[in-house]
Amino acid sequence: MPLVDMRDLLRHAHANRYAVGAFDLVDTRMLEGILVGCERAGAPAILSVAESHFRHFDPGPVLAACVAAARRSPLPLAIHLDHGESLESIERGIALGCNGVMLDASHLPFAENVRRTRAAVELAHACGVPVEGELGYVAGAEGEDAELHPGEIVYTSPDEAEAFVARTQVDFLAVSIGTVHGRLRGTPRLDLERLAAIDRRLGIPLVIHGGTGLAAEQYRALAERGVAKINYFTALADAAARTVHAAAREDPQAGLLRLLRDVREAVAAETERACRMFGAAGRAGEALAACRPWREVEHVVLYRPREGLDGAELAAMVEEGRRQLAKVPGVRRVFHGRKVAGRDDWPLGWVIRFASAAVVEAYRDHPLHLAFADGRFRPNAPERLSLDLEEW
Ligand code: 13P
């Protein structure tokens, strides 16, 4: 199950001066293409979903597919929420399977960016999940996604970057040094001196948004100056779209399956090309060895209901538990069940999935859990057996 800790993955890339591609995907066809491309390149990767795209697809099933695919893959992979807009988005992303999240408040004044990012860090770190913040602003030029990033580029200042990281405790910082989201107009001019200065000051993995459209030597120059994650979307989307246009030209009556037939291969080829340009090709084995596996935890509570608890009361308690416990950050699934086989000691039980072992403590002390456990559950379940099982 090479779903790995994104901190370890990006620290390895940062220390070894290559960049991991964070490939934004919008459906399972892109997911398959990205994984094929990374396997051909032997590259670690980040499967990424951008909140700005959620009007086009439901992140629940797509993230479930990412988790399932990552577990089957031989590559070290992490799953990331890109451009998270709010604390609620961060919480939801973690619940749906992300083990890295971005809070993007880069369009706001410095103090407000710090305040919101700091809150996201507190929430995500309590779940064991690392956070990317952004300082400076990466605007859009044109193409698939660009209109979602209006305005002009604001370059990241090294002084502010240092203060931002110290105050927010982000694990990775997205910086603005001349790239734009979407398609580029003309030749991009990157401020590599600024990037090198930020890297010297911070010493944490840096992130580039607007990864599409640079020259191979520019990607190398970024990685040499501390960029460990490059966000990449438009080039994949354009490669996919070109095959759809070609199929439609070839046969104006083409059905959906014909139109989409070559999408996966186009995405795979572009992904492989990107991994090679980022210096990530051939790094999967060493990166995997350097990364802690990402392990979920199942919190198991077996219980016997108190004498005299009637069926309606029990059902109401279970319903409240399902509702309230699912709201605790880091909880991915709340299951309540009754025994269908085995010993009679414990006729009922909860199995609650946590994003990681860090959630054990945060959950125990969380007001929603305490209110349910002390106010409703424990009085009705005097005999209990609970344990936390880490995946192993
Ligand atoms: P491009 O679409 O320019 O590759 O940028 C992707 C990105 O930065 C997503 O966060």
Side-chain angles (χ1 to χ4, degrees):
M1 47 147 220
L3 190 55
V4 299
D5 192 311
M6 201 165 125
R7 270 171 291 237
D8 296 341
L9 186 60
L10 293 190
R11 279 187 203 135
H12 184 266
H14 189 248
N16 291 283
R17 301 278 134 171
Y18 68 92
V20 178
F23 299 107
D24 276 336
L25 54 97
V26 300
D27 61 17
T28 55
R29 202 171 296 266
M30 277 186 90
L31 169 63
E32 287 177 47
I34 288 164
L35 288 172
V36 169
C38 293
E39 278 184 40
R40 284 183 196 156
I46 295 170
L47 305 173
S48 183
V49 292
E51 184 166 1
S52 48
H53 292 158
F54 290 175
R55 63 204 161 109
H56 299 289
F57 68 92
D58 179 350
V62 171
L63 281 168
C66 290
V67 173
R71 288 182 178 286
R72 269 193 345 208
S73 169
L75 304 169
L77 299 169
I79 302 175
H80 187 65
L81 173 72
D82 191 17
H83 292 293
E85 290 164 15
S86 65
L87 271 191
E88 294 70 37
S89 323
I90 301 290
E91 204 174 314
R92 184 156 169 250
I94 294 171
L96 293 177
C98 294
N99 66 347
V101 290
M102 177 195 194
L103 189 281
D104 182 3
S106 60
H107 53 293
L108 297 170
F110 181 81
E112 185 58 12
N113 190 354
V114 166
R115 194 184 68 74
R116 292 200 192 187
T117 306
R118 174 75 207 154
V121 167
E122 275 167 21
L123 186 147
H125 282 186
C127 304
V129 171
V131 177
E132 172 186 333
E134 178 167 334
L135 187 67
Y137 180 70
V138 178
E142 62 179 47
E144 195 77 321
D145 204 14
E147 81 284 0
L148 301 171
H149 308 278
E152 296 298 317
I153 299 181
V154 179
Y155 287 81
T156 306
S157 125
D159 283 342
E160 280 195 348
E162 196 170 359
F164 184 82
V165 172
R167 287 195 214 165
T168 59
Q169 296 294 304
V170 288
D171 303 272
F172 326 118
L173 185 68
V175 294
S176 174
I177 52 122
T179 56
V180 293
H181 283 282
R183 294 180 194 136
L184 284 163
R185 287 200 218 103
T187 317
R189 285 209 324 276
L190 303 182
D191 190 341
L192 294 173
E193 272 174 39
R194 179 185 295 270
L195 179 63
I198 296 170
D199 185 39
R200 278 194 301 275
R201 297 276 279 273
L202 301 189
I204 63 170
L206 302 177
V207 178
I208 286 293
H209 283 246
T212 291
L214 305 186
E217 42 306 346
Q218 289 180 304
Y219 292 114
R220 244 190 330 275
L222 294 176
E224 278 162 10
R225 291 162 182 79
V227 170
K229 171 175 179 277
I230 297 178
N231 288 19
Y232 206 69
F233 173 67
T234 302
L236 300 183
D238 282 352
R242 275 193 296 275
T243 70
V244 178
H245 290 301
R249 268 195 310 275
E250 195 181 295
D251 176 5
Q253 304 305 316
L256 183 66
L257 293 176
R258 171 64 191 96
L259 290 173
L260 297 178
R261 189 189 69 190
D262 300 329
V263 164
R264 188 170 36 207
E265 178 51 35
V267 171
E270 183 56 29
T271 301
E272 180 183 357
R273 195 177 80 87
C275 291
R276 295 193 186 286
M277 291 192 297
F278 299 170
R283 299 281 192 167
E286 58 183 284
L288 186 58
C291 291
R292 284 165 292 177
W294 185 265
R295 298 186 200 277
E296 291 181 333
V297 164
E298 299 285 0
H299 175 64
V300 181
V301 183
L302 304 176
Y303 70 99
R304 223 187 328 243
R306 71 170 164 77
E307 292 287 331
L309 182 68
D310 71 33
E313 271 182 286
L314 177 63
M317 179 196 80
V318 169
E319 196 38 47
E320 184 182 331
R322 284 204 178 102
R323 219 181 29 250
Q324 298 300 340
L325 300 177
K327 290 186 203 156
V328 177
V331 168
R332 288 188 166 167
R333 173 177 182 253
V334 178
F335 172 90
H336 183 275
R338 61 171 169 244
K339 184 187 77 85
V340 289
R343 289 168 48 163
D344 287 333
D345 315 28
W346 305 110
L348 296 167
W350 300 94
V351 184
I352 300 170
R353 182 170 303 157
F354 294 159
S356 77
V359 181
V360 173
E361 206 178 314
Y363 174 86
R364 197 182 50 221
D365 301 335
H366 196 280
L368 283 171
H369 168 249
L370 288 175
F372 175 69
D374 293 338
R376 196 80 189 254
F377 178 60
R378 289 172 184 152
N380 285 318
E383 287 180 77
R384 302 177 302 275
L385 172 73
S386 60
L387 70 161
D388 294 285
L389 296 173
E390 188 177 63
E391 194 169 13
W392 181 66

